[in-house]
Amino acid sequence: GVVVTPALVFALMQKSVQLPPAAQVAKSLGAKVALPVFVGQLLRRSSHIRSMLEKRKTLAKRAQELALLSVVWCAFSAAFGKGLGVSGSDLAALLIGLPLLHVAILRLCLNFGRTQFPERE
C-alpha cells in the first residue's frame, strides 16, 4: 500500500519524482522513527517505568496519540509547505476519481463474493 499507491498515482498522472538516495532515506527514518521506538522499548523494560505507565495509563495513551498526531501533522505541513507538485486539475481528478474507484472496486468485490458463497439463513 505505501509503495504501490504512490506509484499508481504517479503513473496515472504521468508524473515522475526524484527520490533521495536510499542511504539518506534509511538514515532519516532511523533517526526519526527507529531510534525513538528502540529507546522506548528499552525504557518499557524498566520496572520503574512500567509501574509508572500502569498508574498513568490514560495519560500515557494520550501522550502516545499526541506524539503520533504531531508526526503526521509535521509530515503534512512539510509536504504542503513545499507544494504538492500537481496542478489543481490533477488534484481535483484525484480527489474525485480515487473515491469513485474505491467504491467501484468495493462493489465489484461484494458482487463477486455473493456469487462465490452461499447465502446464510
Side-chain angles (χ1 to χ4, degrees), residues 39-72:
V39 170
Q41 291 300 313
L42 285 178
L43 288 174
R44 287 185 74 121
R45 291 178 178 254
S46 163
S47 60
H48 176 69
I49 300 290
R50 189 178 305 134
S51 66
M52 182 183 73
L53 288 174
E54 284 296 321
K55 291 177 189 172
R56 296 173 182 88
K57 197 175 247 185
T58 304
L59 181 63
K61 184 175 178 173
R62 292 286 179 236
Q64 179 182 356
E65 291 169 352
L66 285 173
L68 181 59
L69 181 63
S70 70
V71 169
V72 172

